[in-house]
Amino acid sequence: GESALSIFVSPPSVQELEKRLQSRSTDDQEAIKTRIEKAEFEMKYAKDFDVVIINDNLEKAKLELEKIARNFLD
């Protein structure tokens, strides 16, 4: 209802997410594969959220999230 705001933060694409995960070198290939599969599943539900923020630039996405949250809470 009006007392809640759902926000989905999405990578620009699944390919970009995979690229980011590989460049971090924190997960093995199997873990990356699992995370990509989970992200693909979750992204199917983005349309059900009130707002979708595309995280193509972390600082920009953070500012957008803060602005949306502030506007909702005011």
Side-chain angles (χ1 to χ4, degrees):
E2 292 181 22
S3 62
L5 175 67
S6 61
I7 301 173
F8 187 91
V9 180
S10 177
S13 67
V14 174
Q15 294 79 14
E16 179 62 23
L17 174 61
E18 185 171 8
K19 179 180 162 186
R20 291 175 183 180
L21 293 173
Q22 289 177 349
S23 71
R24 291 178 190 159
S25 299
T26 56
D27 294 315
D28 63 26
Q29 284 302 102
E30 189 60 34
I32 290 173
K33 180 179 181 255
T34 300
R35 290 183 68 178
I36 294 297
E37 289 170 354
K38 183 177 179 187
E40 287 176 324
F41 174 78
E42 291 172 347
M43 289 170 73
K44 292 177 185 177
Y45 296 94
K47 66 185 182 327
D48 297 330
F49 286 70
D50 296 320
V51 177
V52 176
I53 295 176
I54 306 297
N55 182 12
D56 55 355
N57 175 288
L58 182 58
E59 289 305 313
K60 182 180 144 198
K62 285 174 25 180
L63 290 172
E64 186 176 355
L65 177 60
E66 288 173 5
K67 180 181 174 185
I68 290 167
R70 230 180 276 113
N71 288 340
F72 179 76
L73 294 172
D74 286 342

